[in-house]
Amino acid sequence: KLAKQLHPDLNPGDKKAEQRFKQISAAHAILGDKDKRARYDRGEIDESGAEKQEQRFYRQYADTDAGHQYHSRAGYEDFADMGDIFSDLFRRSRAGGPGSGARYAMPGQDLRYNLQVGFIDAVNGATKRITLPDGGTLDVSIPRGVADGQTIRLKGKGGPGVNGGPQGDALIQLQVAPHPHFSREGDDILIDLPITIDEAVLGARVEVPTVSGSVNMSIPAGASSGQTLRLRGKGVEAKGRTAGDQLVRLRIVMPREVDQGLKDFMSGWKDAHAYDPRAALKVSS
């Protein structure tokens, strides 16, 4: 950040800024290089990267090309590793060169936003509008199958460039709101489905909500609570991936009031069909 602010092309004629820029350059060259940092800690080089022993000082220049044998690049060689900002910052046009006074074209700043989207919109895709700090608006296309925390990059929708540089990007981080009935595991959708006693005992065909609309599903006779049925292809369908499934977990729900007829029936049925569903839980001594 300091190198960007103090670069000579952005501060023409400011000797103090130029000197500070050189110090920052040298510091980055040492701290960003494991071997140089170790040599500095051992006292072999100073804070500018120069050799402390005179007989080694010549080596700093000996391997340069013949046309620039005594031109040192110490302190500047690693700036390309600082990311796209510095790659663009130090890229000169072919018409301009060292000392030509050419100014650098720099990309605009990337702008970051948070956007909350509904669960169904995240699964199926949608278009949402955000309000920018200057009062303008930006329409954001939400792809199918986005996940919570995912970031969408909108090219050229960020801050303006400097000296004719390209506009920055807008980075939209998505926050997917929870759903009262659906949850997500990978590309599968989970839902708990309440069923009645008679549907569990006799089997039935019931309506089940999915993220793309309701469908009919068969409940097998003798179904138990916790049993999971699968609706293939009714999960998340993200670009480049096979659609997930919807997993339907059955939950037997008793009637709000158990009348005497049901009690009498179950009492007689129990006497003739007793069974122990907890037999597997018994611990032998």
Side-chain angles (χ1 to χ4, degrees):
K1 183 178 179 181
L2 286 172
K4 180 179 177 182
Q5 293 174 353
L6 299 172
H7 194 274
D9 273 4
L10 300 182
N11 301 272
D14 190 336
K15 296 298 183 181
K16 184 179 293 185
E18 182 179 355
Q19 181 62 29
R20 181 65 174 148
F21 176 80
K22 290 179 179 179
Q23 293 173 345
I24 293 168
S25 302
H28 174 266
I30 295 174
L31 297 177
D33 186 294
K34 181 179 179 180
D35 293 335
K36 289 182 180 180
R37 176 62 183 266
R39 294 188 66 200
Y40 176 80
D41 291 341
R42 292 194 299 267
E44 296 176 4
I45 59 176
D46 62 19
E47 65 275 6
S48 69
E51 300 277 355
K52 285 190 174 181
Q53 298 182 28
E54 184 177 355
Q55 64 270 27
R56 293 188 179 182
F57 187 74
Y58 175 76
R59 296 181 185 177
Q60 186 173 344
Y61 308 90
D63 295 331
T64 60
D65 61 270
H68 300 81
Q69 191 170 12
Y70 296 99
H71 174 69
S72 171
R73 296 189 305 113
Y76 295 90
E77 61 271 32
D78 293 329
F79 264 104
D81 295 334
M82 295 182 70
D84 293 340
I85 290 179
F86 290 105
S87 296
D88 290 332
L89 179 63
F90 298 107
R91 186 183 297 120
R92 293 185 181 270
S93 64
R94 293 189 178 183
S100 67
R103 304 196 73 181
Y104 300 110
M106 294 185 296
Q109 183 180 8
D110 290 342
L111 302 180
R112 297 180 179 272
Y113 304 93
N114 291 323
L115 176 62
Q116 186 176 76
V117 297
F119 186 94
I120 302 296
D121 287 339
V123 173
N124 295 329
T127 298
K128 296 293 182 181
R129 176 167 294 179
I130 61 175
T131 301
L132 305 178
D134 61 2
T137 59
L138 180 63
D139 288 333
V140 181
S141 179
I142 309 298
R144 295 170 63 92
V146 294
D148 184 57
Q150 186 172 333
T151 298
I152 298 175
R153 179 183 291 271
L154 302 180
K155 286 284 188 180
K157 298 298 184 180
V162 178
N163 296 329
Q167 194 164 352
D169 301 335
L171 304 177
I172 317 295
Q173 186 173 42
L174 303 178
Q175 298 172 343
V176 179
H179 193 276
H181 306 304
F182 297 113
S183 59
R184 179 176 175 177
E185 289 186 2
D187 284 341
D188 290 337
I189 299 293
L190 282 67
I191 187 173
D192 284 340
L193 181 69
I195 60 174
T196 64
I197 296 175
D198 56 284
E199 288 171 340
V201 173
L202 303 175
R205 192 162 181 80
V206 300
E207 188 175 74
V208 181
T210 75
V211 292
S212 56
S214 296
V215 298
N216 290 323
M217 185 183 70
S218 295
I219 306 295
S224 298
S225 277
Q227 183 175 344
T228 300
L229 306 179
R230 185 182 297 269
L231 292 173
R232 296 198 176 275
K234 292 297 182 179
V236 178
E237 186 178 358
K239 184 178 180 180
R241 302 200 300 266
T242 303
D245 302 329
Q246 178 163 307
L247 306 180
V248 182
R249 185 167 49 200
L250 303 179
R251 181 166 58 89
I252 300 173
V253 178
M254 294 290 293
R256 291 186 177 182
E257 295 184 6
V258 178
D259 60 22
Q260 191 59 43
L262 180 58
K263 291 180 180 179
D264 292 342
F265 170 78
M266 293 306 301
S267 180
W269 185 92
K270 179 187 69 172
D271 292 339
H273 304 84
Y275 70 102
D276 186 0
R278 296 171 293 280
L281 300 179
K282 293 182 179 179
V283 180
S284 58
S285 57

